[in-house]
Amino acid sequence: MMSLTFLPVLAPLLAGIIILLARLGGLNLQRLLSMLSVLLLTFISLELMQQAVQGQTQVYTLGNWVAPFGIVLVLDQLSALMVLITSILALGALWYAVTSKIDAKGSHFHVLFQIQLFGLNGAFMTGDVFNLFVFFEVLLLASYGLLLHGGGAARTKGGLQYVVINLIGSTLFLFAVGTLYGILGTLNIADMAVKVSQAQPEDLGVIAAAGLLLLVVFGLKAAMFPLYLWLPQAYANTSAPVAALFAIMTKVGLYAIIRVHGTVFGDSAGELAHYYAPWVLGLGLITLLLAALGVMAARGLREQVTYLVLASVATLLIGLGLNSAEALAASLYYLIHSTLIAGGFFLLADIIARGRDQIGDRFISANAMPQAVLIGGTFIFGAIAMSGMPPLSGFFGKVLILSSALDHEWFMTILGIVLVSGLLMIVAVARSGSLMFYHTQPDAPQGESLNSLAYGAVVMLFATGIILVIFAHSITLLTESTAQQLWQSSDYIQAVLNTRAVGGN
Amino acid sequence: MELIIALIIGVLTTSGVFLTLRGHTFPVVLGLTLLAYAVNVFLFAMGRLTIGLPAVIDPTQAEYADPLPQALVLTAIVIAFGMTAFLIVLALKSRSELGNDHVDGQSCPEGEIPVETDVQKQIQRNEQL
């Protein structure tokens, strides 16, 4: 059977090119092609997920050059899971963009959207650090275009800062990659892990420094303290479907930490084994506290959602910092939940802003929006899921992470910060909800009525919150086996390094 | 040669960091460009410094230079080039939309887009004098 491993990378790229050419056929043709491409991607990623859960790590050698000399695409359970989340999120975001006609506000929305997916899937599947850098640049370039889609002064301002900070991040990435190559002589992640375990003692300091520099870069992508300041500006000011798709962007940084640091500085790394974990844990705790304060201080709903995204990233950082297979499994469960719900919440914020006419999403009392009961109900659902209250998936994710922290020496600190920040978020979200849905002015102008097609995207993304609860058992089994596979990084290393060229000897 | 290369990387990085921390977009763009130069030279040096050796294996030569960093640098240069071009266009766009070239859109009250005319600037300058 032919390997499908390269399809999640190739399909969006080809779709992007075709959609660019289809410009002559008008926007509707572009929309159709874009939707078809994302649907196709969803089916491919479902199929790949099914293949991946059988436990075999699939390796695709690009140009038939075997690792460590060539670049490989690797499909294990984690990459399959990330690709699947991306395509589901993309489906929701794209559906919203098409139905609310946001994609018509500037040119090339669909092209950029597909290239963004190309970069994301590439970053999730590559087995080479330099290639990871290239895919980071691809997804960043597309994200710059998407971020500025529609224009406007606030968007430009946030966009400029986003571009500058990410360019600095790219430079740091290259410094780290260069240093690692200079010492280890390889950039293949699996091969790097082998080389680190055989490294001379005098080289360990430099390797550790380069590893931490990489952590800074990934932390910047993931919006880890103190590198999160770009996120609220950029996400709160961009258009809703773009912000929704960007819910996965911070997770790219987290994924890179799991993949690169987890493999290279895994159990086999000797003195350097897991040396980065206390940093991730400590910075995650600080980020969570600051994010909770940000949620309290936000002046508008979209700003509040960006801080909620930040809080979910921080929770995931804590899960990674706990550094055990159990915590990793819990984090992955929380990752699925937080990405999809956050994406839905960004879309909902836009629906609310449209219903409030001039006032938009600012926390000022306005007229009751059309269909306030329905939208309000959805808001409560999203708020409960995002702030981690029972009975929805956010609660289970947090419980799983906290229960895996029970044996950790910092347990009381972790428990305290997670619970206090959770309380702060619940208070803040409850306050903003009551302000928007109860404190209404009867004589203020009313906004647009609900676009029920666009609302479908929110329902779709929020429904995952229910699915995650109903099928919690099978999904935790999945994340546990994923975490187990990641924890035994030797399997990954063996799979990559033992792949033979097709038709070769 | 090692010392010269190290000094060049150091000076480029220092100047780059200094310029990147400035408040206006133009020095920031220049700073990022210098940082990109610095990292290119750095990547190049990571394949070890050699003189007069071929990058592709030559049967008449005993040794060869490491070709991989050269490929990496080439990729990095292209990416940095594209990014800089994009950043310059974005900086120009923000200059025209925000009315000033501050990175954080300074002196721009919320919800308002200030348009400084040349006359106003002249008045300000006269006042400062």
Side-chain angles (χ1 to χ4, degrees):
Chain A
M1 194 191 76
M2 201 183 72
S3 171
L4 293 172
T5 318
F6 61 92
L7 270 183
V9 184
L10 195 62
L13 177 64
L14 286 180
I17 296 170
I18 294 170
I19 292 168
L20 184 63
L21 296 174
R23 204 178 168 210
L24 300 170
L27 188 59
N28 281 331
L29 181 63
Q30 286 188 314
R31 283 173 173 165
L32 181 71
L33 289 170
S34 200
M35 282 307 288
L36 280 178
S37 157
V38 176
L39 274 176
L40 178 72
L41 202 60
T42 316
F43 286 120
I44 294 171
S45 45
L46 276 173
E47 169 64 28
L48 287 179
M49 190 76 220
Q50 284 199 331
Q51 291 181 14
V53 287
Q54 286 155 18
Q56 190 97 34
T57 304
Q58 293 185 46
V59 180
Y60 183 83
T61 50
L62 289 172
N64 209 6
W65 287 91
V66 291
F69 305 107
I71 291 169
V72 289
L73 295 180
V74 187
L75 181 88
D76 64 352
Q77 292 185 32
L78 180 65
S79 1
L81 181 68
M82 296 304 290
V83 169
L84 183 62
I85 300 173
T86 309
S87 47
I88 295 174
L89 186 68
L91 201 60
L94 188 64
W95 180 251
Y96 188 88
V98 170
T99 49
S100 63
K101 299 193 176 60
I102 286 174
D103 58 342
K105 285 190 179 155
S107 47
H108 300 309
F109 178 87
H110 293 288
V111 181
L112 290 167
F113 197 89
Q114 298 294 333
I115 300 295
Q116 173 87 65
L117 294 179
F118 164 59
L120 284 167
N121 288 347
F124 289 142
M125 299 195 64
T126 184
D128 181 284
V129 177
F130 195 80
N131 203 227
L132 183 67
F133 164 76
V134 174
F135 277 121
F136 267 15
E137 295 305 306
V138 171
L139 72 89
L140 283 175
L141 252 182
S143 77
Y144 301 156
L146 283 176
L147 192 75
L148 295 166
H149 178 77
R155 210 164 279 185
T156 310
K157 187 179 139 191
L160 185 70
Q161 292 168 1
Y162 176 75
V163 175
V164 169
I165 191 91
N166 275 305
L167 281 178
I168 295 171
S170 306
T171 313
L172 289 179
F173 199 160
L174 283 176
F175 271 117
V177 164
T179 315
L180 285 173
Y181 181 77
I183 302 281
L184 302 174
T186 180
L187 288 173
N188 183 290
I189 297 171
D191 199 29
M192 278 165 83
V194 175
K195 292 279 157 49
V196 166
S197 62
Q198 299 161 354
Q200 303 294 322
E202 67 264 25
D203 289 339
L204 288 181
V206 185
I207 298 173
L212 285 183
L213 196 55
L214 269 187
L215 188 66
V216 171
V217 178
F218 299 151
L220 174 74
K221 300 277 184 288
M224 182 169 76
F225 172 83
L227 300 163
Y228 69 90
L229 293 164
W230 55 272
L231 183 128
Q233 270 278 349
Y235 282 31
N237 288 321
T238 188
S239 59
V242 175
L245 184 66
F246 280 11
I248 192 84
M249 292 273 284
T250 48
K251 274 60 176 189
V252 178
L254 290 164
Y255 166 82
I257 294 176
I258 298 175
R259 174 64 79 217
V260 177
H261 287 82
T263 312
V264 177
F265 302 110
D267 286 332
S268 62
E271 249 180 82
L272 292 181
H274 308 294
Y275 78 108
Y276 62 93
W279 287 97
V280 176
L281 180 58
L283 291 172
L285 287 171
I286 301 173
T287 315
L288 184 56
L289 211 52
L290 288 172
L293 293 178
V295 174
M296 291 286 279
R299 287 161 300 175
L301 183 58
R302 276 186 296 178
E303 198 182 339
Q304 193 162 52
V305 181
T306 61
Y307 279 107
L308 285 170
V309 169
L310 194 59
S312 74
V313 167
T315 314
L316 286 168
L317 285 170
I318 294 171
L320 295 190
L322 288 172
N323 200 31
S324 67
E326 206 189 355
L328 193 56
S331 310
L332 289 175
Y333 181 86
Y334 193 74
L335 188 146
I336 307 174
H337 143 82
S338 66
T339 310
L340 297 173
I341 300 289
F345 218 145
F346 272 120
L347 300 180
L348 182 66
D350 190 57
I351 289 181
I352 291 174
R354 280 160 186 257
R356 284 156 55 95
D357 201 44
Q358 300 283 324
I359 307 271
D361 70 329
R362 274 172 290 168
F363 291 147
I364 306 169
S365 60
N367 196 350
M369 66 196 77
Q371 279 111 332
V373 178
L374 180 64
I375 299 176
T378 323
F379 179 84
I380 291 180
F381 184 94
I384 288 174
M386 270 309 262
S387 55
M389 279 199 294
L392 293 173
S393 46
F395 172 72
F396 286 103
K398 275 192 184 170
V399 167
L400 285 171
I401 289 178
L402 283 179
S403 70
S404 65
L406 275 172
D407 298 330
H408 201 274
E409 50 188 340
W410 294 5
F411 178 63
M412 287 320 282
T413 322
I414 296 168
L415 185 73
I417 290 181
V418 170
L419 291 185
V420 167
S421 61
L423 178 68
L424 290 179
M425 283 188 278
I426 292 167
V427 170
V429 175
R431 194 194 57 176
S432 56
S434 61
L435 190 106
M436 283 183 303
F437 295 102
Y438 291 150
H439 287 261
T440 47
Q441 309 274 345
D443 47 348
Q446 214 171 22
E448 283 175 42
S449 63
L450 179 66
N451 182 343
S452 47
L453 275 176
Y455 176 72
V458 181
V459 173
M460 189 200 110
L461 289 174
F462 277 2
T464 57
I466 302 174
I467 292 171
L468 278 170
V469 175
I470 296 176
F471 298 104
H473 180 65
S474 36
I475 289 168
T476 40
L477 282 183
L478 174 73
T479 56
E480 270 163 17
S481 89
T482 309
Q484 212 59 48
Q485 193 182 35
L486 289 166
W487 208 246
Q488 288 158 3
S489 51
S490 55
D491 289 357
Y492 174 88
I493 296 165
Q494 294 296 325
V496 171
L497 294 181
N498 291 340
T499 304
R500 298 267 159 268
V502 181
N505 35 27
Chain B
M1 187 163 69
E2 282 83 359
L3 186 67
I4 297 176
I5 293 278
L7 275 176
I8 289 174
I9 298 171
V11 170
L12 279 174
T13 312
T14 317
S15 326
V17 170
F18 176 76
L19 286 172
T20 312
L21 293 174
R22 313 251 74 193
H24 293 270
T25 47
F26 185 62
V28 171
V29 174
L30 282 185
L32 285 170
T33 315
L34 288 184
L35 277 178
Y37 290 164
V39 81
N40 288 343
V41 179
F42 178 78
L43 272 182
F44 203 71
M46 277 301 119
R48 304 294 181 269
L49 299 170
T50 50
I51 296 176
L53 292 180
V56 180
I57 300 172
D58 182 350
T60 61
Q61 299 259 10
E63 287 180 27
Y64 59 94
D66 191 347
L68 191 78
Q70 307 187 8
L72 300 187
V73 167
L74 206 57
T75 317
I77 288 174
V78 174
I79 290 176
F81 195 65
M83 291 293 180
T84 311
F86 181 81
L87 186 60
I88 290 173
V89 174
L90 186 59
L92 283 173
K93 186 175 151 70
S94 95
R95 166 72 183 83
S96 68
E97 281 189 0
L98 299 172
N100 62 60
D101 71 341
H102 270 277
V103 178
D104 54 359
Q106 208 186 41
S107 73
C108 174
E110 264 188 33
E112 247 181 63
I113 303 164
V115 182
E116 255 183 279
T117 59
D118 288 343
V119 181
Q120 281 175 328
K121 272 185 201 163
Q122 196 60 48
I123 293 168
Q124 275 181 355
R125 235 172 265 151
N126 288 345
E127 278 172 357
Q128 278 167 6
L129 290 173

